[in-house]
Amino acid sequence: MSTDASPGALPARAHLAPLPGEPVLDVVVPVFNEEKDLDRCVRRLHEHLTRTFPYPFRITVADNASTDRTPEVAAGLVTALEGVRSTRLEAKGRGRALRTVWSGSDAPVLAYMDVDLSTDLNALLPLVAPLISGHSDLAIGTRLARSSRVVRGAKREFVSRAYNLLLRSSLAAGFSDAQCGFKAIRRDVAERLLPLVEDSGWFFDTELLVLAERAGLRIHEVPVDWVDDPDSTVHIARTAAEDLKGVWRVGRALAVGALPLDRLARPFGDDPRDRGALPGVDGGLARQLLGFCAVGVLSTLLYLLLYSAIRTGTGPQAANAVALLLSAVANTAANRRLTFGVRGRDRAVRHQAQGLVVFAIGLTLTSGSLAALTAATDRPAHGTELAVLITANLAATVLRFLLFRAWVFPERRGSAIPTPKDSR
C-alpha cells in the first residue's frame, strides 16, 4: 500500500466491467409537481435505453416534495417498468435530489436529465461512453457548441450565454454550458467531489463542474440537439439571483484557498505526468521555468514600481528593502500556485517563511550591489541605480529558482496516486 499518497486521492481510471445483475448507469430524473409529463417521459427514456444502451441501467425518479399526484405516478412506473425506482425527498432542490440519489447509488456511472427530455436522447450514449471507458471523469451536454441544434426563445438564449460568459470571466471556467440539464459523472469521482459542493439548488451542478475543473479532472462535452420546453416552471430571475450568489461564494472560496482541492489536484489514471520519468529527462522543468519567468517578470516590474515610489521619500537601501520584501511575498505566493502547482492552505505559512529566507539572500545581493555603487560614485543617477538593481536581481532570480525548486517546493518523489489495488 502506498503511504505517500494524500488522503482521499482518486483511484486510477479503468474501463468499467459490468457485474451480473448490477446497473452500469443510474439516470436520475428530478421532479417537482410533474404529474402530467412524468409517465410519458420516463416511458420514453426507458424504451430508448432498452433499445440502445448495451449495459444494464436504472432510472431513478427523485421527487422533490411534490404536492400533486407525482408520487402516485412514480409508484405506477416502478410497478410497470423493470429497472425503474423512485425516491421521495421532503424538501425542494435539484442539487439536494442529485446528492441524495448519487450518494446512495451502486451504479459506477451516474447521470441526470430534466423530466421534459428537452435534450435528444441519442446524445445519452455518447455522454456516458467516455466515463465507462475510463477516458473522462465527468460529461456534460452543451447547447453552445457550433454543431449543437437548439430551438429556444431569445430571452433564454441571452440568459444562458450571459451566464456562461460570467462563469468564464469570474471563475475562469473552461466548460461551455453549465446549465444544460444533461450531465454524468463517475461514482468514484462523485464520492470525492460531492462533500465539497454546498449548493442544494440550481447552482449545484455548476459548482460541481467548477470544483472538478479546478481539481484537474477531465470534463467531456457532447454537442446536443435541444428543444426548449415552453411549459417549463423554472423561475429565471430567482434562479439567476441564486446563481450569482453561488458564483460569489465559490469565487471567494477559491481566492482564499478554502477548498481542499489539492488532494484532487491531478487528473487520475494514465496521465503522462504520472508516469515514471524518462532517463535524463525532467518533464516538469520546462513548465516550471516558463511559469517562474512569467511570475519573475511581473514581480520585477512590481519591485521597480515600488522602489521608485518609495525612493522619493527615503534612501536607496530602505526603499530597496521594503520594495523587495513586498514583491517577494507576492512572488512566493504566485510561484507557489502557478509555477509549482501547490494549492490550498497546507504549509502556506511555512512556504512564505522559506520564501523570506530566499528574500534575505536576494536582499544581500542587491544591497551589496547598491553599497558597491555608492562607494564607487557619490551620487549615482537613478537610471544607474535601476540598472545595477536589475543586474543583481537577475543573479538573485537564478538562485531563487534553484532554491524554490530544491528547498521550498521540492517535488514529492513517490507520491503517485494509488491504484485501486493500493487503495484497499
Side-chain angles (χ1 to χ4, degrees):
M1 179 176 178
S2 172
T3 58
D4 296 324
S6 59
L10 289 165
R13 293 191 197 99
H15 188 284
L16 301 176
L19 299 175
E22 297 292 335
V24 169
L25 174 66
D26 192 348
V27 183
V28 183
V29 182
V31 293
F32 173 71
N33 289 349
E34 296 287 354
E35 61 179 4
K36 294 181 180 180
D37 296 329
L38 179 59
D39 184 86
R40 172 180 56 84
C41 291
V42 170
R43 288 182 181 275
R44 179 183 164 199
L45 174 60
H46 187 274
E47 187 276 332
H48 177 84
L49 287 170
T50 302
R51 178 169 45 86
T52 65
F53 195 68
Y55 300 109
F57 65 87
R58 177 191 297 134
I59 300 173
T60 302
V61 178
D63 178 14
N64 277 130
S66 294
T67 56
D68 61 0
R69 293 187 57 257
T70 295
E72 289 82 354
V73 176
L77 290 168
V78 172
T79 301
L81 301 176
E82 182 180 0
V84 175
R85 71 176 184 180
S86 176
T87 185
R88 166 82 176 182
L89 288 85
E90 298 304 328
K92 293 176 62 176
R94 182 176 68 180
R96 180 176 288 106
L98 295 179
R99 185 195 307 277
T100 300
V101 178
W102 284 356
S103 297
S105 180
D106 56 353
V109 175
L110 312 168
Y112 92 88
M113 61 180 59
D114 295 333
V115 69
D116 55 21
L117 300 187
S118 295
T119 304
D120 183 3
L121 292 178
N122 287 322
L124 182 56
L125 184 56
L127 182 81
V128 301
L131 310 187
I132 295 174
S133 69
H135 177 269
S136 298
D137 309 312
L138 298 90
I140 66 173
T142 175
R143 299 161 295 184
L144 303 181
R146 289 183 178 274
S147 56
S148 298
R149 298 178 178 87
V150 177
V151 179
R152 60 176 167 180
K155 181 179 179 180
R156 286 184 176 271
E157 180 76 12
F158 173 78
V159 170
S160 179
R161 291 188 178 275
Y163 179 63
N164 284 282
L165 180 60
L166 172 65
L167 293 180
R168 288 177 178 271
S169 59
S170 61
L171 299 179
F175 47 86
S176 64
D177 191 351
Q179 293 178 313
C180 183
F182 194 68
K183 297 181 175 70
I185 186 173
R186 286 174 63 107
R187 187 185 66 199
D188 49 8
V189 177
E191 289 173 351
R192 297 341 193 262
L193 281 179
L194 288 179
L196 305 180
V197 179
E198 295 185 18
D199 192 81
S200 59
W202 291 99
F203 188 69
F204 170 87
D205 41 354
T206 298
E207 185 173 357
L208 184 75
L209 288 173
V210 170
L211 298 185
E213 187 174 62
R214 288 301 185 97
L217 305 184
R218 182 172 288 174
I219 300 175
H220 175 69
E221 297 199 7
V222 177
V224 298
D225 297 343
W226 195 86
V227 179
D228 189 18
D229 178 14
D231 299 322
S232 174
T233 59
V234 177
H235 193 289
I236 296 179
R238 184 187 307 126
T239 301
E242 293 175 357
D243 287 343
L244 289 175
K245 292 178 182 178
V247 169
W248 167 254
R249 174 177 54 78
V250 172
R252 182 176 57 184
L254 291 172
V256 302
L259 295 169
L261 297 179
D262 53 319
R263 69 187 184 195
L264 306 176
R266 294 175 67 80
F268 64 112
D270 189 22
D271 191 309
R273 295 169 294 179
D274 291 328
R275 300 173 190 166
L278 296 175
V281 177
D282 189 344
L285 179 59
R287 178 186 58 81
Q288 290 178 355
L289 275 173
L290 288 175
F292 185 82
C293 289
V295 171
V297 169
L298 295 176
S299 61
T300 298
L301 291 175
L302 174 64
Y303 163 76
L304 293 175
L305 289 173
L306 289 171
Y307 177 83
S308 297
I310 300 170
R311 179 68 176 86
T312 59
T314 186
Q317 293 289 3
N320 174 60
V322 175
L324 193 60
L325 174 62
L326 295 177
S327 60
V329 171
N331 181 280
T332 300
N335 275 308
R336 182 178 188 269
R337 175 66 182 269
L338 302 177
T339 303
F340 298 97
V342 181
R343 294 176 173 83
R345 296 178 177 178
D346 184 36
R347 296 179 296 158
V349 175
R350 175 184 173 183
H351 289 156
Q352 280 293 349
Q354 291 173 306
L356 289 178
V357 174
V358 178
F359 149 76
I361 297 174
L363 179 62
T364 301
L365 287 173
T366 54
S367 296
S369 300
L370 279 176
L373 177 62
T374 303
T377 306
D378 289 337
R379 290 187 177 182
H382 183 65
T384 304
E385 285 184 356
L386 292 181
V388 169
L389 287 173
I390 290 173
T391 303
N393 265 292
L394 287 176
T397 297
V398 174
L399 182 59
R400 185 185 304 124
F401 177 74
L402 296 176
L403 288 174
F404 272 2
R405 183 173 167 81
W407 180 48
V408 184
F409 308 108
E411 183 179 356
R412 297 185 193 178
R413 303 297 178 186
S415 60
I417 293 172
T419 63
K421 182 178 179 180
D422 293 331
S423 301
R424 289 197 295 264

